[in-house]
Coordinates of all heavy atoms in Angstrom, one line a residue:
A207 N 57.8 40.0 -28.3 CA 57.7 41.4 -27.9 C 57.5 42.2 -29.2 O 56.8 43.2 -29.2 CB 59.0 41.8 -27.2
A208 N 58.2 41.9 -30.3 CA 58.1 42.6 -31.5 C 56.7 42.5 -32.1 O 56.2 43.4 -32.7 CB 59.2 42.2 -32.5
V209 N 56.1 41.3 -31.9 CA 54.7 41.2 -32.4 C 53.8 42.2 -31.9 O 53.0 42.9 -32.6 CB 54.2 39.8 -32.1 CG1 52.6 39.7 -32.2 CG2 54.8 38.7 -32.9
F210 N 54.0 42.5 -30.6 CA 53.0 43.4 -29.9 C 53.5 44.9 -30.0 O 52.7 45.8 -30.0 CB 52.9 43.1 -28.4 CG 52.2 41.7 -28.3 CD1 52.9 40.6 -27.8 CD2 50.9 41.6 -28.7 CE1 52.3 39.4 -27.7 CE2 50.2 40.3 -28.6 CZ 50.9 39.2 -28.1
R211 N 54.8 45.1 -30.1 CA 55.3 46.4 -29.9 C 55.9 47.0 -31.2 O 55.9 48.3 -31.3 CB 56.5 46.4 -28.9 CG 57.0 47.7 -28.6 CD 57.9 47.8 -27.4 NE 57.1 47.8 -26.2 CZ 57.6 47.7 -25.0 NH1 58.9 47.4 -24.8 NH2 56.9 47.7 -23.9
H212 N 56.2 46.2 -32.2 CA 56.9 46.7 -33.4 C 56.3 46.2 -34.7 O 56.9 45.3 -35.3 CB 58.4 46.4 -33.3 CG 59.2 47.1 -32.2 ND1 59.4 48.4 -32.3 CD2 59.7 46.6 -31.1 CE1 60.1 48.8 -31.2 NE2 60.2 47.7 -30.4
P213 N 55.2 46.8 -35.1 CA 54.6 46.3 -36.4 C 55.5 46.5 -37.6 O 55.4 45.7 -38.5 CB 53.4 47.2 -36.5 CG 53.2 48.1 -35.3 CD 54.4 47.8 -34.4
E214 N 56.5 47.4 -37.5 CA 57.4 47.6 -38.6 C 58.4 46.4 -38.7 O 59.1 46.3 -39.7 CB 58.2 48.9 -38.4 CG 59.3 48.9 -37.4 CD 58.8 49.0 -35.9 OE1 57.6 48.9 -35.7 OE2 59.7 49.2 -35.0
T215 N 58.3 45.5 -37.8 CA 59.2 44.3 -37.9 C 58.5 43.0 -38.4 O 59.0 42.0 -38.4 CB 59.8 43.9 -36.5 OG1 58.8 43.5 -35.6 CG2 60.5 45.1 -35.9
H216 N 57.2 43.2 -38.7 CA 56.4 42.0 -39.0 C 56.6 41.4 -40.3 O 56.5 40.2 -40.5 CB 54.9 42.4 -38.9 CG 54.4 42.6 -37.4 ND1 53.1 43.0 -37.1 CD2 55.1 42.6 -36.3 CE1 53.0 43.1 -35.8 NE2 54.2 42.9 -35.3
F217 N 57.0 42.1 -41.3 CA 57.4 41.6 -42.6 C 56.3 40.5 -43.1 O 55.1 40.8 -43.0 CB 58.8 41.0 -42.7 CG 59.8 42.1 -42.5 CD1 60.4 42.3 -41.2 CD2 60.2 42.9 -43.5 CE1 61.3 43.3 -41.0 CE2 61.2 43.9 -43.3 CZ 61.7 44.1 -42.0
D218 N 56.8 39.3 -43.4 CA 55.8 38.3 -44.0 C 55.4 37.3 -42.9 O 54.2 36.9 -42.9 CB 56.5 37.6 -45.2 CG 56.9 38.6 -46.2 OD1 56.1 39.2 -46.8 OD2 58.2 38.8 -46.4
W219 N 56.3 36.9 -42.1 CA 56.0 36.0 -41.0 C 56.4 36.6 -39.7 O 57.3 37.4 -39.6 CB 56.9 34.7 -41.1 CG 56.7 33.8 -42.3 CD1 55.8 34.0 -43.3 CD2 57.3 32.5 -42.5 NE1 55.9 32.9 -44.2 CE2 56.8 32.0 -43.7 CE3 58.3 31.8 -41.8 CZ2 57.2 30.8 -44.2 CZ3 58.7 30.6 -42.3 CH2 58.2 30.1 -43.5
V220 N 55.6 36.2 -38.7 CA 56.1 36.6 -37.3 C 56.4 35.2 -36.6 O 55.9 34.2 -36.9 CB 55.0 37.4 -36.5 CG1 54.9 38.8 -37.1 CG2 53.7 36.7 -36.5
R221 N 57.3 35.3 -35.6 CA 57.9 34.1 -35.0 C 57.7 34.2 -33.5 O 58.7 34.2 -32.7 CB 59.4 33.9 -35.3 CG 59.8 33.9 -36.7 CD 61.2 33.4 -36.8 NE 62.1 34.2 -35.9 CZ 63.0 35.1 -36.3 NH1 63.0 35.5 -37.6 NH2 63.7 35.8 -35.5
P222 N 56.5 34.2 -33.0 CA 56.3 34.2 -31.5 C 56.5 32.9 -30.9 O 56.1 31.9 -31.4 CB 54.8 34.6 -31.4 CG 54.2 34.0 -32.6 CD 55.2 34.1 -33.7
G223 N 57.2 32.9 -29.7 CA 57.3 31.8 -28.9 C 56.6 32.0 -27.6 O 55.4 31.6 -27.4
L224 N 57.1 32.8 -26.7 CA 56.6 33.0 -25.4 C 55.1 33.4 -25.4 O 54.3 33.0 -24.6 CB 57.4 34.1 -24.7 CG 57.2 34.1 -23.1 CD1 57.7 32.8 -22.5 CD2 57.9 35.3 -22.5
A225 N 54.7 34.2 -26.4 CA 53.3 34.7 -26.4 C 52.3 33.5 -26.6 O 51.2 33.5 -26.1 CB 53.1 35.7 -27.6
I226 N 52.8 32.5 -27.3 CA 51.9 31.3 -27.6 C 51.6 30.7 -26.2 O 50.6 30.1 -26.0 CB 52.6 30.3 -28.5 CG1 52.8 31.0 -29.9 CG2 51.9 29.0 -28.6 CD1 51.5 31.2 -30.7
Y227 N 52.5 30.8 -25.3 CA 52.4 30.1 -24.0 C 51.8 31.1 -22.9 O 51.6 30.7 -21.8 CB 53.7 29.6 -23.5 CG 54.3 28.8 -24.7 CD1 55.4 29.3 -25.4 CD2 53.7 27.5 -25.0 CE1 55.8 28.6 -26.5 CE2 54.2 26.8 -26.1 CZ 55.3 27.3 -26.9 OH 55.7 26.7 -27.9
G228 N 51.5 32.3 -23.4 CA 50.7 33.2 -22.5 C 51.4 34.4 -21.9 O 50.8 35.1 -21.1
Y229 N 52.6 34.7 -22.4 CA 53.3 35.9 -21.9 C 53.8 36.8 -23.0 O 54.3 36.2 -24.0 CB 54.5 35.4 -21.0 CG 54.1 34.5 -19.9 CD1 54.0 33.2 -20.1 CD2 53.6 35.1 -18.7 CE1 53.6 32.3 -19.0 CE2 53.2 34.3 -17.6 CZ 53.2 32.9 -17.8 OH 52.8 32.1 -16.8
P230 N 53.7 38.1 -22.9 CA 54.0 38.9 -24.1 C 55.4 39.2 -24.4 O 55.7 39.8 -25.4 CB 53.2 40.2 -23.7 CG 53.2 40.2 -22.2 CD 53.1 38.8 -21.8
G231 N 56.3 38.8 -23.5 CA 57.8 39.0 -23.8 C 58.3 40.2 -23.2 O 59.5 40.5 -23.4
S232 N 57.5 41.0 -22.5 CA 58.0 42.2 -21.8 C 57.0 42.6 -20.8 O 55.8 42.5 -21.0 CB 58.2 43.3 -22.8 OG 58.4 44.5 -22.1
S233 N 57.5 43.0 -19.6 CA 56.6 43.3 -18.5 C 55.8 44.6 -18.9 O 54.7 44.8 -18.3 CB 57.3 43.5 -17.2 OG 58.4 44.4 -17.4
S234 N 56.3 45.4 -19.8 CA 55.5 46.6 -20.1 C 54.5 46.4 -21.2 O 53.9 47.4 -21.6 CB 56.5 47.7 -20.4 OG 57.3 47.3 -21.6

Side-chain angles (χ1 to χ4, degrees):
V209 163
F210 296 111
R211 183 167 280 171
H212 293 289
E214 75 283 9
T215 68
H216 289 178
F217 296 98
D218 305 292
W219 292 4
V220 292
R221 302 192 310 257
L224 196 66
I226 296 291
Y227 310 103
Y229 302 92
S232 165
S233 54
S234 61

